[in-house]
Amino acid sequence: MSNSSNDKRKRDLFALVGEQAYGGGRNYSRYQPFSSFKSGNNADHKKRVRLSLPPKTKNLFYDGATENDRWLLEPLKKVNGVIFPFVPQIIVNNSANYSAQSPAHTNYPYQVYQNSTIGTINLFGQFSAQTQEEAKYVRAVILFMRLVTKSFRNNDPNAGNPPIILRLTGHGSNLLPNAPVVIQSFDLTLPNSVDYITVKDGEQDRIPTMTDISITMTPIYSRSDLTQFSMDDIANGKNLKGFM
């Protein structure tokens, strides 16, 4: 890519995600290239937004990725799931539901509490692919998101099971507290206004140098998890079940 086109891409990127897209933030850079994801366990990576599998289910997708088995997902093994290189925009809705009771001869209805719900979580993220390594990572992310919206079928060892439950983490321990989520929809934009990089690993896949994705997910808790809900635990930083 020429210097002029690279400069234009950066200017366009800054217009989309702000001046700190390529670093420079005081504590938490808004952009971190995949090449810096040496390990998925250091302190900075724990702050970054991540979608991953619980430990016992990693082998269903990327944990067992080798040169001969699930090798397209191998980049996710290095960082334990999907780490978003740009800080994504996330919208979370919590609501308490009430019903109005209006006895005769009253000026105002009584509000009777019914239940509480957490709605869908909407995530809007960006991925950049400027090198072969980054292009392979973006491809792995796309394939992974397609797979986690599918059930196991036919000759799959886990045939009959519904789509897998993921874990949403990021920004520390309490904002996205390792929440169990299922992916309801995954939208991928393959833009016509950017360059594409060809992955040279025999597949010749073409990956956009900049792409947008949106993910709609819903928290899902088992009955046994719900019996352990505790306001005190959440307020004291002991939210082990990832309640949001």
Side-chain angles (χ1 to χ4, degrees):
M1 184 180 294
S2 66
N3 290 335
S4 61
S5 61
N6 188 53
D7 290 341
K8 181 181 184 303
R9 184 187 63 77
K10 286 187 177 182
R11 289 196 300 272
D12 293 342
L13 180 59
F14 292 158
L16 287 172
V17 298
E19 294 181 347
Q20 295 183 350
Y22 275 84
R26 182 171 299 176
N27 294 312
Y28 184 14
S29 167
R30 291 192 59 183
Y31 173 75
Q32 185 173 4
F34 174 70
S35 59
S36 69
F37 296 165
K38 301 300 182 183
S39 168
N41 297 314
N42 66 40
D44 184 60
H45 293 164
K46 289 181 179 180
K47 298 176 185 177
R48 305 201 73 84
V49 176
R50 182 201 310 266
L51 279 169
S52 58
L53 290 169
K56 294 183 179 180
T57 59
K58 293 178 185 178
N59 63 324
L60 296 179
F61 288 93
Y62 52 74
D63 203 44
T66 65
E67 292 183 358
N68 299 314
D69 186 21
R70 301 190 184 97
W71 59 275
L72 290 173
L73 298 179
E74 194 272 339
L76 304 184
K77 181 178 181 179
K78 296 180 179 178
V79 296
N80 184 24
V82 175
I83 292 181
F84 291 86
F86 296 93
V87 177
Q89 175 174 289
I90 300 175
I91 301 173
V92 183
N93 171 263
N94 291 78
S95 61
N97 301 311
Y98 294 80
S99 64
Q101 302 292 324
S102 302
H105 304 293
T106 56
N107 291 321
Y108 303 99
Y110 300 108
Q111 297 297 330
V112 179
Y113 172 75
Q114 297 295 310
N115 54 38
S116 296
T117 59
I118 177 168
T120 55
I121 301 172
N122 297 296
L123 181 151
F124 305 91
Q126 290 182 310
F127 286 86
S128 174
Q130 305 301 314
T131 66
Q132 286 288 308
E133 186 179 28
E134 290 180 349
K136 292 177 182 179
Y137 175 68
V138 174
R139 180 179 62 183
V141 170
I142 294 170
L143 294 177
F144 178 74
M145 296 309 303
R146 288 175 177 174
L147 288 172
V148 298
T149 54
K150 307 292 191 300
S151 63
F152 295 87
R153 304 288 295 175
N154 301 325
N155 294 325
D156 289 329
N158 297 280
N161 285 322
I164 201 81
I165 298 175
L166 305 181
R167 294 294 186 269
L168 175 64
T169 57
H171 302 309
S173 302
N174 297 296
L175 293 186
L176 302 174
N178 199 34
V181 296
V182 289
I183 306 300
Q184 290 186 301
S185 68
F186 165 64
D187 295 289
L188 168 69
T189 300
L190 296 175
N192 61 2
S193 58
V194 302
D195 293 331
Y196 280 65
I197 182 172
T198 300
V199 180
K200 299 176 182 179
D201 59 3
E203 294 294 309
Q204 298 294 307
D205 293 318
R206 298 177 69 240
I207 305 299
T209 54
M210 181 62 64
T211 188
D212 300 320
I213 71 167
S214 64
I215 300 171
T216 301
M217 62 194 94
T218 300
I220 183 168
Y221 302 99
S222 67
R223 290 186 178 182
S224 61
D225 288 344
L226 293 175
T227 63
Q228 299 179 53
F229 174 85
S230 168
M231 289 189 175
D232 284 343
D233 284 349
I234 295 174
N236 291 324
K238 300 176 182 178
N239 185 13
L240 300 180
K241 295 299 180 180
F243 293 113
M244 298 188 70

